[in-house]
Amino acid sequence: MNYFKKYSPFINLLFLFIIVNVILRIILLFHPITQSSFGPLEITKIFVLGFISDVFLFIIVSAFLWLYLLFLSNVKYEKYGYLIFGALVLLLLYVSFFNTILNEYGGSLPEIGISFIALKTIFFGLLLFLPKHRKAIRLVLFFITMFIFTLVIIQNAISEFFFWNEFGVRYNFIAVDYLVYTNTVIGNIMESYPVVPLFASVGLVTALLTYFIVKRAQPFLNHLPSFKEKVKGLGVYVVLVILSLTAIPLLAKQENSPNVYTNELQANGMFKFYTAFMNNELEFDKFYKTMPKAEAFALLQKQIQGINRESSLRTIKADSTELHKNVVLITVESLSEDFMTEYGNKKHITPFLDSLADKSLQFTNLYAVGNRTVRGLEAVTLCLPPSAAESVVKRTDNKNKFSTGSVFKQKGYAVKYMYGGDAFFDNMGDFFGGNGYDVIDKKTFQPNEITFANIWGVCDEDMYHKAIKEMNNEAKANKPFFNHIMTVSNHRPFTYPEGKIDISGMAKSRDGGVKYTDYALKQFFTMAQKQPWFKNTVFVILADHCASSSGKTELPLDKYRIPAMIYAPGFIQPEHVNTLMSQIDIMPTLFGLLHFNYNSKFYGQDIFKPTYQPRAFVATYQDLGMIKNNVLTIISPVKKVKQFQLISKAKPNVKEEFQSQYDEIPMLHLREDLVKETIAYYQTSAFLLKNKQLQK
């Protein structure tokens, strides 16, 4: 059968797909971010099982190629040509002048649909009415088609490389998000990388590869399969697809090495993207190990004092008069702890934060709950353990929750969320607006308020100037305010106004992004100190997550440790607090310092209460972890449980309270008490969210 001979386009593209993926695996294997060594068995799994997986995956994704090849024919022009051409003309007229399903979807889809049908009609007409030139026209169209398929293969490999370069993994939920927020992501790529030479090189390589594929396919084009051969070929292909659909999930289950990098390199990025797309929400009871609900809540009651029954509700009572001070919460984009001098950084890229930390209540053993901005926002707003799969921020049921904002509103505060970008991104506007916050984002800026912007939004200085204006207006209303500010400048492409720091924004470096973020924060405090409301304001500064989350294990703890501090001169005394805690505890702790009385549904706790039992939560989209008693417990889908003993790895010349690196040693015998506590936290929070018991 022509479809499976060496000159077949299907076979040639299959070879290209396999070769490109082998090269990609080799490159990723030796990439600096791949911080691991591999034994012979692991190398075998990566390349042998990876090869088999690639073959089966190509069979499935080549469905469009098969559709194209099956319709290559001369008979359709000779017997049914005028009928088909007339139908195409009528279809083109219909989509051009009448309301169709394409118009219902809106956006650019109608133009794309019309253009596609128009081109199809034109090319079919050329092939129909110019039979003497049909062979040459078909060759040109075949080249274009093969170019597109080849480009997809090459471009996907390059995209996987850049994704690995950023996150140290194959495609995951972040890649799915990037497909949704195309404008921002494409803009980020345009500003971060030398796009023109990169795309030009890709185009040239693709054209050369396409030339060789088309040249090898000449026998196929000269002797197109007959109808009988097409039926046979299609039958064989259908069998291969069924086999592939069965084999791919089985191969995915073999991604079971304790070395995360082995699993990621063995996997195929396209299939990882598909699974991420399909599993953006995970039913906890279905995918994770559970216990009887009554037992889970009984365990929760031992961890959080004051709750009873199937609830997290409890009454928080202070022993002093409430202090209704203004509160400014600043979550700093991608601020890893190791950017700061105290944690061992020698580059001095956070001079202001270093000085501010010395004057603040500094939490030196605090962990981010996740590796995305929405996870950090969820943690400081809802004070809950991270939910399985997608963040609450991005779910449809994300409104009217019991939140830090709702507590402040009960106390008579004005409540705002301020973000220098478009709050549509990551569903932030919908989440904060739906939970009672007034949203200030880039859309609210006047042209004269923007001095510099990139794809992520206005620079931090512009955001802080806007924030000062808003706070001055709020102060005139004679009521306290709570403003949550999310920064944007410490994010790729790391561009910012020139002349502010000694690293040019043209360098597009992480160090420059960090240093400018620090500089802008200094400018904010310089402005704030001149305002009449400053002395009555408490500032909370912490990272949303670390700059990188990749590591040798599912949850590398040094990639989750973040700086956090509360600054209020004359009110909060400077101190280092080395109590193990989580992002979800920062705001309940602040409420304790302000002596707030309120009914709480938070899982986060005031760490200064004698009833607080130190623990921290860390998670990816699927792996949910808890740190307690120097043990990291991880629960994962398919009801898996792992535990790691945490052995401190001392950094030289770093004080004990700032040591953040651990060897995570797999435990052969699980500590069942910690396993049950971990399950109890996550199972009960998932239950309460699902049953709408965490509403305000």
Side-chain angles (χ1 to χ4, degrees), residues 568-588:
F571 172 54
I572 302 293
Q573 294 301 310
E575 182 185 355
H576 288 169
V577 178
N578 200 39
T579 303
L580 175 65
M581 60 187 294
S582 182
Q583 262 176 324
I584 72 172
D585 302 311
I586 195 78
M587 295 307 289

Side-chain angles (χ1 to χ4, degrees), residues 153-426:
I153 293 171
I154 301 298
Q155 190 60 53
N156 175 71
I158 292 171
S159 299
E160 285 202 58
F161 169 79
F162 283 122
F163 195 82
W164 187 280
N165 189 56
E166 185 78 12
F167 300 104
V169 294
R170 296 278 197 170
Y171 294 143
N172 58 17
F173 283 131
I174 301 174
V176 177
D177 284 353
Y178 281 6
L179 194 64
V180 175
Y181 302 107
T182 310
N183 183 56
T184 301
V185 173
I186 290 176
N188 183 30
I189 293 169
M190 296 289 287
E191 295 179 7
S192 300
Y193 301 104
V195 173
V196 174
L198 178 64
F199 282 2
S201 300
V202 170
L204 180 61
V205 171
T206 302
L208 288 172
L209 290 171
T210 304
Y211 170 78
F212 287 113
I213 290 172
V214 172
K215 188 175 181 180
R216 286 176 60 85
Q218 286 288 349
F220 181 88
L221 291 175
N222 294 334
H223 304 282
L224 292 175
S226 65
F227 179 77
K228 185 177 180 180
E229 287 178 310
K230 288 180 179 181
V231 171
K232 287 182 179 179
L234 181 61
V236 173
Y237 176 69
V238 169
V239 172
L240 290 174
V241 168
I242 294 171
L243 177 63
S244 300
L245 290 172
T246 304
I248 289 176
L250 295 176
L251 287 168
K253 290 181 180 179
Q254 303 309 309
E255 296 161 18
N256 53 11
S257 170
N259 187 333
V260 174
Y261 287 117
T262 301
N263 298 330
E264 292 292 332
L265 290 168
Q266 177 186 329
N268 183 285
M270 289 184 178
F271 183 67
K272 295 281 282 188
F273 183 91
Y274 168 77
T275 55
F277 184 83
M278 297 303 294
N279 297 317
N280 61 344
E281 288 193 25
L282 294 174
E283 286 284 344
F284 189 91
D285 292 347
K286 180 178 179 181
F287 289 96
Y288 292 85
K289 189 173 182 179
T290 60
M291 63 181 71
K293 187 169 56 177
E295 182 182 353
F297 276 101
L299 279 173
L300 187 69
Q301 291 166 19
K302 294 179 180 179
Q303 309 305 315
I304 304 176
Q305 299 297 311
I307 64 173
N308 55 67
R309 299 179 182 175
E310 295 177 358
S311 169
S312 63
L313 181 64
R314 62 199 183 279
T315 300
I316 307 295
K317 289 187 177 181
D319 54 7
S320 301
T321 304
E322 287 190 357
L323 301 172
H324 290 182
K325 291 181 175 290
N326 305 313
V327 175
V328 177
L329 167 63
I330 303 174
T331 45
V332 183
E333 173 68 46
S334 304
L335 185 67
S336 299
E337 42 82 20
D338 56 8
F339 292 147
M340 296 183 66
T341 303
E342 290 173 314
Y343 289 90
N345 192 290
K346 303 297 184 183
K347 298 178 181 179
H348 302 291
I349 53 178
T350 58
F352 177 71
L353 274 170
D354 290 337
S355 65
L356 193 69
D358 291 336
K359 305 169 188 173
S360 303
L361 179 64
Q362 188 178 8
F363 303 99
T364 60
N365 198 8
L366 185 145
Y367 286 87
V369 300
N371 50 24
R372 291 293 315 281
T373 294
V374 285
R375 288 299 188 186
L377 297 178
E378 174 188 84
V380 297
T381 304
L382 303 182
C383 305
L384 296 174
S387 52
E390 196 56 271
S391 163
V392 175
V393 175
K394 301 185 69 175
R395 295 184 180 184
T396 53
D397 180 27
N398 66 357
K399 299 174 180 63
N400 299 314
K401 301 297 182 188
F402 182 79
S403 66
T404 53
S406 64
V407 173
F408 280 116
K409 281 213 162 187
Q410 291 172 14
K411 304 299 180 184
Y413 281 66
V415 175
K416 284 188 174 71
Y417 175 69
M418 301 181 179
Y419 177 60
D422 187 340
F424 165 76
F425 186 78
D426 269 345

